[in-house]
Amino acid sequence: MSTAILTGPPVPGSPLDGDLRSLGFDVRVSPGPAETAALLAAVPAAERVAVVDARFVGHVHSLRLALTDPRFPLAAVPGAVTAAPEGRGALTSALTAATGTGTAALALDTALDTVVPDALAEALDADGAAVHRPELGSLVATVPGDPQARNEARQAVAAVDDEAVRLRSAVKARDGFFTTYCVSPYSRYIARWCARRGFTPNQVTTASLITALIAAASAATGTRGGFIAAGVLLLLSFVLDCTDGQVARYSLQYSTLGAWLDATFDRAKEYAYYAGLALGAARGGDDVWALALGAMVLQTCRHVVDFSFNEANHDAISNTSPTAALSDKLDSVGWTVWVRRMIVLPIGERWAMIAVLTAVATPRIVFYALLVGCAFAACYTTAGRLLRSLTRKAVRTER
């Protein structure tokens, strides 16, 4: 359970109390800054706490983004600030400074119209604390200063469907062509259905793994019906693979375990499917184990290069290489973006190709196409990363 402390003059008929409770907050009302400090101190140290101005007007999703994202110890939007357990000390210090005495104090107790959460966010910034401020886009989050401004803010809230915004934000901003146009338009609704029924991203990830293993078993039968079923199940597994991340973004359920499971299970699913195809081919008298092992080795090498390059550039401040500049220039031309994303054969395009060829062709053809496509993609990406590394001009860090 989390606790939200409402500050500032109360607004009769405001839905804010209900909105906060719908986000899992126990709401307490503070008549003044001194009482706010007392209420904050009374909240157990292991709980998340939020300070919200009672005059806040905005979308529920604005509050959700600011107050419930587990990745950030401190976060704020206009009219609301929150601290996870690891950020509670910084918030308490900021409140003490903001309500204290002296020339640097904000003297909130003498300014009734002061927006306490915003003053706390400013105090946190002054102390050098990292306060996350989510990108709201068309969402509204404000504390109106008069009835006219309040009415305008409410009209702005009514003009934007925050559920539609929430669904759009559940989809990754940068993804492959197949995923963007053939999966995400409907998988986001599956993600919402899962989130509303309490399914976690890790549960969806596990369901994707199980589906892929069944697909591999179907391919291992070596029959045409088994191959068709395997292709369909592999696509279904990929839909679930997209859905788990969308559930995480839709419901803000992020975790290190989830990221690790997602990456690990992707490799397990793919390699199990290769083995299933090889077994199915063997049942039909065609030995393609060498091709299957070659595909596994090639994909392993690609992922090693991917992870090692990303690790090496994890904290890079900038990349001013001519290769990066050329890449940015190409990205400014619409169609080249999709071509460049497709030719690296990401998981969406790769699994779609494997699924279709499994259903209509033979395992040998599947592996031939896979090896040729992945080899070209590996050469393309490795060459680009080598050029970036050789010509990179960036500030050296301790890492």
Side-chain angles (χ1 to χ4, degrees):
M1 190 67 176
S2 303
T3 299
I5 301 171
L6 289 181
T7 65
V11 179
S14 172
L16 182 59
D17 186 285
D19 291 343
L20 290 170
R21 293 185 187 278
S22 71
L23 297 177
F25 285 91
D26 178 25
V27 180
R28 302 177 186 179
V29 179
S30 170
E35 290 80 359
T36 300
L39 288 173
L40 178 61
V43 177
E47 288 188 11
R48 173 181 288 272
V49 66
V51 180
V52 184
D53 194 289
R55 297 162 293 179
F56 176 89
V57 175
H59 290 97
V60 177
H61 195 48
S62 296
L63 290 173
R64 180 182 291 107
L65 290 172
L67 305 183
T68 66
D69 195 326
R71 296 174 296 175
F72 307 103
L74 296 165
V77 291
V81 64
T82 186
E86 58 268 32
R88 288 281 299 277
L91 183 64
T92 300
S93 299
L95 182 60
T96 301
T99 58
T101 58
T103 57
L106 296 175
L108 300 179
D109 54 340
T110 62
L112 186 61
D113 60 346
T114 299
V115 181
V116 176
D118 292 356
L120 290 176
E122 292 176 5
L124 287 167
D125 288 333
D127 287 342
V131 181
H132 171 66
R133 289 177 171 82
E135 179 63 45
L136 297 181
S138 59
L139 297 175
V140 177
T142 185
V143 179
D146 56 68
Q148 180 179 351
R150 174 170 292 276
N151 184 55
E152 292 174 353
R154 286 175 172 171
Q155 291 177 359
V157 170
V160 176
D161 184 354
D162 69 338
E163 178 60 22
V165 173
R166 188 181 179 190
L167 273 175
R168 287 197 300 271
S169 62
V171 178
K172 287 171 63 175
R174 182 182 177 88
D175 221 329
F177 181 88
F178 179 77
T179 304
T180 300
Y181 291 103
C182 299
V183 177
S184 293
Y186 58 88
S187 63
R188 69 186 72 182
Y189 297 101
I190 301 175
R192 179 172 67 180
W193 184 89
C194 291
R196 289 181 173 178
R197 283 155 183 80
F199 292 106
T200 67
N202 291 348
Q203 290 172 333
V204 179
T205 301
T206 303
S208 175
L209 172 65
I210 293 172
T211 304
L213 293 178
I214 296 174
S218 299
T221 62
T223 64
R224 177 51 51 192
F227 287 148
I228 294 174
V232 172
L233 288 169
L234 186 64
L235 288 177
L236 177 58
S237 175
F238 179 68
V239 171
L240 293 174
D241 184 53
C242 295
T243 301
D244 61 2
Q246 292 167 358
V247 171
R249 287 182 288 274
Y250 181 85
S251 57
L252 301 182
Q253 297 183 67
Y254 301 105
S255 69
T256 303
L257 174 63
W260 177 73
L261 286 179
D262 186 51
T264 304
F265 283 4
D266 280 351
R267 307 290 77 75
K269 289 181 286 187
E270 192 164 4
Y271 296 170
Y273 191 82
Y274 294 169
L277 275 179
L279 284 170
R283 287 179 179 274
D286 189 10
D287 185 358
V288 295
W289 275 108
L291 296 177
L293 291 174
M296 293 182 192
V297 171
L298 179 56
Q299 280 302 103
T300 300
C301 291
R302 287 188 66 191
H303 291 300
V304 168
V305 172
D306 287 344
F307 283 112
S308 59
F309 181 81
N310 292 333
E311 181 69 14
N313 291 274
H314 177 73
D315 58 356
I317 297 173
S318 63
N319 191 334
T320 56
S321 71
T323 306
L326 176 61
S327 179
D328 292 339
K329 185 176 181 180
L330 289 174
D331 280 347
S332 65
V333 182
W335 64 270
T336 64
V337 175
W338 294 117
V339 171
R340 294 172 66 231
R341 291 185 191 178
M342 292 173 68
I343 62 176
V344 300
L345 210 61
I347 186 171
E349 278 73 5
R350 187 167 70 251
W351 283 25
M353 179 186 74
I354 294 172
V356 171
L357 289 179
T358 299
V360 302
T362 64
R364 181 172 291 273
I365 292 177
V366 173
F367 286 121
Y368 281 156
L370 185 64
L371 287 168
V372 171
C374 288
F376 175 81
C379 291
Y380 174 81
T381 55
T382 303
R385 287 167 178 171
L386 182 61
L387 288 173
R388 285 174 183 253
S389 300
L390 290 174
T391 59
R392 180 171 177 260
K393 298 177 182 178
V395 177
R396 182 181 295 275
T397 65
E398 290 299 321
R399 182 187 174 103

